[in-house]
Amino acid sequence: MLILLAAIFVLHIIGVIVLLVATIDNAWWMMPNISTDVWGRWIQTNGVWNLTDIPTGSHYPQDYLQAVQASSVLACIFSILGIFVFVAQLFTLQKGQRFTISGIFQLLACLCIMIAASIYTNQFHLDENFGWYGHCFILAWIAFALTFISSIIYFVLRKKTA
Amino acid sequence: MGRAGPMRGVWLGINQGTVCFLLLSCFEALCRVASSIPPLHFLSPPCTRTRSRVGLFLDRLLSGLRHPSFWELPAKPETMLTLLALASVVLLGIVPEQSQAIVIYTGWERHALLGSDIRLSCSFFSWRWTSEDVTFSWTYRPDGSRDSISIFHYTGGAAYVDNKGPFRDRVEFVGNPGRRDGSILIKNLDFNDNGTFTCDAKNPPDIVGRPSSVRLLVFEKVPIQAGVITGAIIGVVLGLLVLIVVIYYLMRFLVARRVFSLSVSKHGKKKKEGSQQRQIKV
């Protein structure tokens, strides 16, 4: 029982870490010397990396970019709150009850990061062949899977001991 | 508006004097009232079983405050009143003479769409009353240039607008000099109007001041400021979450209270019936 609990906790923590890396690091789209989105653009000139603003224009809609920022930040917040709620529920739940509230928080986090990743996939870099998706983008989709699995486990798990 | 002179000084003195007198009489009345209030019960410590150091310190402080001698003024109220009134009149008389600089307020940056009109506001603060010789003047410095040209001047009750430079027939005076407002309206903006507009106002005899500048940016499409949408989405969602949690706990509390009151009334009814039966028996 304890091992199961530890495994679930570790899964949740890994989800949080993956979400944080995907949100904070600016590497959703990469080009040979450029690593960009969602907060800024890193450009390497003469071996030195400089942080610049993301270019504004019709192929870089500002409002969708801010929506991606907002929902990825919200996913992090919900996941972190979920950790605390899970620990609280461990101590306050009665025997036989399910961890529904923790599951709801993880589900909300899953929903938010899915919204962020979907908007990004659909609206940005549609016609650019000169580049590839960076590690943050991949981590965002992995975080979606992890948080989904985590929320399902919370909805199914029952408290065994009082 | 009147002119500066000896009558103005007398009038200011009387004004300030009456204000001070009113303030001090209020203060004196409050002191008298406070000394007559009996010690408030909720300030006394509820239990004396466990007294931490902080508790002892607070207790001593509160008992000191409650002592009536704390609130009594050391000298007779009338003499103190007159002394304070004189001191404040002297101080307030000195202060305006020293800080006589005029302060001019304009915006910091203005964004506008191509082809639209924009109102550049300019107002000032001065210790003197608005004189009849108040002047406003606006100058324009294009982006990347070091020279500035004058585009508007208001003096002697008449406004003079630009009729030769880049803003000819596009500047209109929409301010109210009597209310210290020297705003201008620039119509039909173009990309060449990007630059810094400086407003300089003078209110004789108050002429020492620093002109204030506002930067104009003309856009084809007004850009979204960084982070506004992000902040709005995050704020709304978290606010909804907090609201849902609060409502949930409120409903639980209300339901619990209703259940509790119902059970108490039922219990009370049973007790009453029991006592009535006992009375009838007797």
Side-chain angles (χ1 to χ4, degrees), chain A residues 3-148:
Chain A
I3 298 176
L4 180 69
L5 206 61
I8 292 170
F9 192 69
V10 165
L11 179 69
H12 196 145
I13 294 277
I14 290 176
V16 167
I17 293 174
V18 167
L19 273 172
L20 282 172
V21 170
T23 305
I24 296 174
D25 200 5
N26 285 310
W28 288 62
W29 178 258
M30 312 273 265
M31 286 187 264
N33 282 335
I34 298 178
S35 160
T36 185
D37 289 336
V38 289
W39 304 100
R41 175 171 279 215
W42 286 98
I43 302 181
Q44 186 186 34
T45 45
N46 305 328
V48 180
W49 286 95
N50 291 317
L51 183 66
T52 60
D53 285 331
I54 294 176
T56 54
S58 58
H59 62 284
Y60 242 111
Q62 272 289 312
D63 31 14
Y64 285 115
L65 189 71
Q66 295 198 5
V68 171
Q69 287 174 349
S71 29
S72 51
V73 168
L74 275 174
C76 293
I77 291 176
F78 280 131
S79 207
I80 292 172
L81 282 177
I83 287 263
F84 292 116
V85 166
F86 174 62
V87 171
Q89 284 207 303
L90 267 181
F91 291 111
T92 60
L93 266 189
Q94 288 171 347
K95 191 169 164 174
Q97 283 195 320
R98 293 194 154 114
F99 294 88
T100 38
I101 303 187
S102 320
I104 288 175
F105 271 94
Q106 275 290 70
L107 196 67
L108 281 172
C110 170
L111 191 73
C112 286
I113 192 64
M114 188 195 73
I115 290 174
S118 309
I119 295 178
Y120 192 80
T121 315
N122 193 31
Q123 294 289 135
F124 293 90
H125 310 293
L126 296 169
D127 302 322
E128 290 177 42
N129 307 323
F130 194 59
W132 58 94
Y133 280 114
H135 58 270
C136 287
F137 181 77
I138 299 170
L139 283 177
W141 283 112
I142 291 177
F144 160 69
L146 284 176
T147 46
F148 189 66

Side-chain angles (χ1 to χ4, degrees), chain B residues 119-124 134 136 138 152 154 157-159 161 171-186 199:
Chain B
R119 179 177 198 268
L120 298 170
S121 65
C122 174
S123 70
F124 66 88
V134 65
F136 290 97
W138 282 91
F152 174 80
Y154 175 91
V161 297
V171 182
E172 194 188 316
F173 183 55
V174 293
N176 188 351
R179 290 189 198 273
R180 303 183 168 186
D181 179 20
S183 313
I184 56 170
L185 179 77
I186 303 183
C199 175

Side-chain angles (χ1 to χ4, degrees), chain B residues 8-23:
Chain B
R8 170 80 71 79
V10 170
W11 170 241
L12 271 173
I14 293 174
N15 221 355
Q16 288 163 2
T18 32
V19 167
C20 297
F21 181 76
L22 285 169
L23 282 171

Side-chain angles (χ1 to χ4, degrees), chain B residues 29-57:
Chain B
L30 274 172
C31 286
R32 287 184 190 275
V33 166
S35 62
S36 63
I37 292 178
L40 296 168
H41 285 290
F42 69 80
L43 283 176
S44 56
C47 66
T48 54
R49 256 186 304 133
T50 50
R51 291 284 211 93
S52 61
R53 277 227 179 118
V54 175
L56 278 169
F57 169 72

Side-chain angles (χ1 to χ4, degrees), chain B residues 50-269:
Chain B
T50 50
R51 291 284 211 93
S52 61
R53 277 227 179 118
V54 175
L56 278 169
F57 169 72
L58 279 173
D59 200 29
R60 246 182 252 150
L61 186 71
L62 286 169
S63 58
L65 280 173
R66 256 185 271 143
H67 205 268
S69 68
F70 182 84
W71 295 103
E72 280 172 6
L73 302 169
K76 280 178 76 167
E78 291 81 14
T79 49
M80 277 210 65
L81 202 67
T82 42
L83 275 173
L84 281 168
L86 280 170
S88 50
V89 164
V90 165
L91 282 171
L92 286 172
I94 292 174
V95 159
E97 300 296 323
Q98 282 176 343
S99 59
Q100 231 183 26
I102 191 172
V103 184
I104 302 176
Y105 303 108
T106 60
W108 183 253
E109 213 175 64
R110 290 276 176 268
H111 299 207
L113 282 175
L114 186 70
S116 69
D117 307 337
I118 185 138
R119 179 177 198 268
L120 298 170
S121 65
C122 174
S123 70
F124 66 88
F125 171 77
S126 165
W127 286 100
R128 303 280 189 184
W129 284 348
T130 313
S131 88
E132 288 162 4
D133 308 321
V134 65
T135 63
F136 290 97
S137 67
W138 282 91
T139 56
Y140 167 68
R141 181 169 60 87
D143 265 347
S145 163
R146 259 195 268 168
D147 313 314
S148 50
I149 62 166
S150 180
I151 61 166
F152 174 80
H153 192 68
Y154 175 91
T155 181
Y160 302 92
V161 297
D162 179 17
N163 52 5
K164 290 185 188 60
F167 290 96
R168 62 172 151 268
D169 303 329
R170 288 202 287 149
V171 182
E172 194 188 316
F173 183 55
V174 293
N176 188 351
R179 290 189 198 273
R180 303 183 168 186
D181 179 20
S183 313
I184 56 170
L185 179 77
I186 303 183
K187 300 187 258 233
N188 201 10
L189 287 166
D190 187 41
F191 285 125
N192 299 327
D193 298 333
N194 273 310
T196 311
F197 290 80
T198 309
C199 175
D200 191 10
K202 299 201 190 312
N203 182 28
D206 203 359
I207 57 150
V208 178
R210 192 171 292 160
S212 169
S213 309
V214 54
R215 187 137 184 263
L216 179 68
L217 296 161
V218 181
F219 292 103
E220 220 173 66
K221 201 173 68 144
V222 180
I224 304 166
Q225 278 188 323
V228 166
I229 299 180
T230 313
I233 295 176
I234 294 177
V236 163
V237 172
L238 287 179
L240 276 174
L241 188 74
V242 167
L243 198 69
I244 290 172
V245 166
V246 162
I247 289 179
Y248 170 72
Y249 276 108
L250 201 69
M251 300 306 290
R252 245 180 43 169
F253 171 71
L254 286 174
V255 166
R257 217 170 63 155
R258 207 175 124 80
V259 165
F260 178 68
S261 66
L262 273 175
S263 72
V264 160
S265 66
K266 218 188 263 180
H267 191 70
K269 235 194 258 174

